[in-house]
Amino acid sequence: MVKTAGVVAGCVLVLTGGGAAWAYWHLDHNIRGVDIDSALGDDRPPKPAPATPEPSATALPSATALPAGALNILVLGSDSRSGSKNSALGGGHSEGARSDTAMVVHLAADRSSATVVSIPRDTLVERPACPTSSGGTTQAAYGTMFNSAYSVGGPVCAVKTVEKLTGVRMDHYLEIDFSGFASVVDALGGVDVTTTEDIDDDLSHLQLDAGYHHLDGKQALAFARTRHGVGDGSDLGRIKLQQQLVKALVEKVSESDLLTNPARLYKVADALTGSLTTDTGLDSLGELQGLAGSLKGLSADEVKTVMMPVLPAPSDPNRVVADEPEAGKLWASLR
């Protein structure tokens, strides 16, 4: 989804060149920002020493300055229960949401490569006390499921829990909900995947024979949510599908010449920004454009997908815990 934000950069250029001020205003105001830095203050892993920005020959002329140095971005897919579109796609009917998909995206300083680390939602973790928007504080919890952090404290608590687990400071935060993900895939014209086994999951309502498939948005969402109809039925099997889908999306965005099709370009940008929640460092088109511009040369071949090393939890065979010291070594490589 970080790479997909590149469509926004292109959209800015098209709209600016055409003088479509209302469309620019609409896309810019679609994005919801959360001030995570202010909420968490200094109680966080330290920032790496800043790198000296290098001039970029491919920088977009109207973009803000390109981010310098390596970046770590927490990307969440939330199973939001709010809104009729999310409910129709399986978001349920209760209020609130959970982080069904969690990935730490590490972008190399020169943006030539990326590492995407999936964190299983069933991982038992220490959830720290988190500040709330009302001025209170959530209770700390031990041996609790990772995705409970978002449920009890939203994006701020999700970021703080990830930083507690990894020891890595999250430079940015991106979240997209059910309907937004499906709409982005549809706006791109679908996505291509190849399965190595049959998938038959009554809960995600996905049935696919082994082989090549072109998925629309609803099918791609079901693909990302499937766990019972593939592998051992665990969240670890679902993560493999999600990582496959990430690479397929990067390939789709890379091969789509959206700048020659303004109508499709705007549709993709509207779907993306309309479902996007970010930290306040990325909550404008200009800031997203700066990040996206630095990713123009990133290909699917240079995106490495891995999962945090885990072991079955001693207290519950249906849950997992970080496999140390291997997990710690992985996180240390991203600092």
Side-chain angles (χ1 to χ4, degrees):
M1 198 51 63
V2 175
K3 176 70 173 183
T4 309
V7 302
V8 176
C11 199
V12 171
L13 291 179
V14 171
L15 294 175
T16 302
W22 179 88
Y24 184 101
W25 180 92
H26 172 71
L27 293 175
D28 195 55
H29 283 73
N30 268 347
I31 307 165
R32 175 175 175 259
V34 178
D35 194 350
I36 291 172
D37 285 342
S38 293
L40 295 183
D42 295 328
D43 185 19
R44 309 179 65 182
K47 290 183 177 181
T52 303
E54 295 290 339
S56 173
T58 59
L60 298 176
S62 63
T64 56
L66 298 183
L71 287 179
N72 291 301
I73 304 173
L74 177 60
V75 179
L76 293 187
S78 67
D79 68 340
S80 173
R81 265 76 170 156
S82 62
S84 58
K85 290 183 179 179
N86 282 315
S87 179
L89 289 169
H93 303 287
S94 62
E95 294 183 356
R98 297 168 300 181
S99 53
D100 257 16
T101 302
M103 299 177 178
V104 174
V105 179
H106 176 80
L107 302 175
D110 62 2
R111 303 296 187 268
S112 64
S113 63
T115 302
V116 180
V117 185
S118 295
I119 302 175
R121 70 171 193 174
D122 293 341
T123 305
L124 298 183
V125 301
E126 176 186 345
R127 190 185 71 223
C130 301
T132 64
S133 57
S134 62
T137 304
T138 66
Q139 288 189 335
Y142 301 88
T144 190
M145 280 180 58
F146 167 75
N147 70 342
S148 69
Y150 186 95
S151 299
V152 302
V156 170
C157 200
V159 169
K160 188 167 186 179
T161 300
V162 169
E163 291 184 342
K164 179 69 175 179
L165 174 67
T166 66
V168 178
R169 187 183 181 105
M170 296 297 109
D171 300 290
H172 291 296
Y173 171 85
L174 288 172
E175 175 194 333
I176 189 167
D177 63 21
F178 274 8
S179 64
F181 177 80
S183 296
V184 168
V185 173
D186 281 336
L188 284 168
V191 66
D192 301 322
V193 299
T194 300
T195 62
T196 58
E197 59 181 300
D198 296 342
I199 298 176
D200 187 0
D201 190 337
D202 290 337
L203 294 180
S204 68
H205 307 293
L206 183 68
Q207 287 82 40
L208 296 176
D209 294 331
Y212 166 86
H213 297 278
H214 181 77
L215 307 180
D216 63 19
K218 186 174 182 179
Q219 292 171 318
L221 178 62
F223 190 84
R225 298 178 66 203
T226 288
R227 66 183 293 181
H228 299 289
V230 64
D232 61 2
S234 72
D235 192 43
L236 307 187
R238 171 165 53 190
I239 283 176
K240 292 181 180 179
L241 296 182
Q242 291 173 349
Q243 292 177 337
Q244 182 181 353
L245 194 57
V246 165
K247 288 216 168 189
L249 278 169
V250 173
E251 290 174 355
K252 184 69 175 183
V253 171
S254 298
E255 72 186 20
S256 299
D257 192 8
L258 293 172
L259 289 178
T260 65
N261 190 338
R264 173 175 282 188
L265 175 60
Y266 180 81
K267 186 177 180 181
V268 173
D270 193 31
L272 177 62
T273 58
S275 59
L276 201 62
T277 300
T278 75
D279 67 282
T280 49
L282 287 179
D283 64 350
S284 72
L285 281 183
E287 289 161 334
L288 282 175
Q289 183 185 359
L291 175 61
S294 72
L295 299 176
K296 288 178 65 177
L298 182 62
S299 69
D301 291 339
E302 299 304 324
V303 177
K304 179 182 179 181
T305 57
V306 298
M307 185 179 70
M308 181 183 75
V310 293
L311 293 170
S315 60
D316 186 343
N318 295 316
R319 302 288 181 258
V320 296
V321 294
D323 181 9
E324 299 295 356
E326 284 72 15
K329 292 177 181 177
L330 171 62
W331 298 124
S333 70
L334 306 186
R335 294 187 188 123

